[in-house]
Amino acid sequence: MADDKELSNMAREPIPDVETGVIHGRFQVLHNDHLSYLQAGMALCRHLVVGITNPDPFLTRDETVDPKRSHSISNPLTYFERYVMIRAVLEEAGIASSRFSVVPFPVNLPELYRYYVPLDALFFVSIYDDWGKRKLAYFKSLGLATHILREVPAAEKGLSATDIRCRMARNEHWEAGVPGAVVRLMKKWDIPGRLREMEKPS
């Protein structure tokens, strides 16, 4: 794995205009910084493949560097709900549907990547912690072309989907942190109510 100095240098390298890029995330839920992340990837390729990680419990594995990412309370939205949400947000942002695809992406099962995404694409990643470095290592283990969109310490990451979910569950204001399409869908699906139900003792 590249050291921190090498990663920083990689992040500053100019990137050519490429045909296809692959970007990924759990998007539980998609917030304003997620939208900026998706737009950054979109600006560097002609077609962006958006991979939804943790698409279902069978394609999710525990990660020692980020153990909470596999918990059910951290994954209240289904794959289909996130598919609908991502498309709605990008289209609301004025991005033509022909410029992107949305697919499942079991990020911590590299042996399955070839069934979901084009391996000759450029794989985008942002690094805030050891989990980001682990994902970069997964990509490099397959010899994939990679580009670091952003590398900052976790304290400088910005918005947190965990915080937004917590605000939803506590009936606190959360709407300002997400795009308008997300506000409408979260209320339509009553995701705050779903989170409160998930937090109840079984």
Side-chain angles (χ1 to χ4, degrees), residues 41-108:
M42 187 76 65
L44 298 176
C45 63
R46 287 180 281 276
H47 188 88
L48 185 68
V49 178
V50 183
I52 298 178
T53 65
N54 289 22
D56 65 58
F58 301 100
L59 289 174
T60 300
R61 297 292 183 272
D62 292 337
E63 286 283 351
T64 56
V65 294
D66 188 7
K68 292 183 179 179
R69 71 179 304 276
S70 61
H71 295 176
S72 59
I73 192 66
S74 300
N75 296 279
L77 297 172
T78 66
Y79 167 79
F80 184 71
E81 287 167 338
R82 287 176 285 164
Y83 172 91
V84 169
M85 176 180 62
I86 290 166
R87 292 195 67 88
V89 166
L90 293 179
E91 288 171 2
E92 182 181 66
I95 298 169
S97 59
S98 60
R99 288 211 56 217
F100 65 90
S101 303
V102 183
V103 300
F105 187 55
V107 67
N108 47 5

Side-chain angles (χ1 to χ4, degrees), residues 8 35 43 58 72 83 85 89 92 121 127 130-131 150 178 202:
S8 295
L35 176 56
F58 301 100
S72 59
Y83 172 91
M85 176 180 62
V89 166
E92 182 181 66
I127 298 177
D130 288 341
W131 172 229
R150 186 173 183 231
V178 304
S202 56

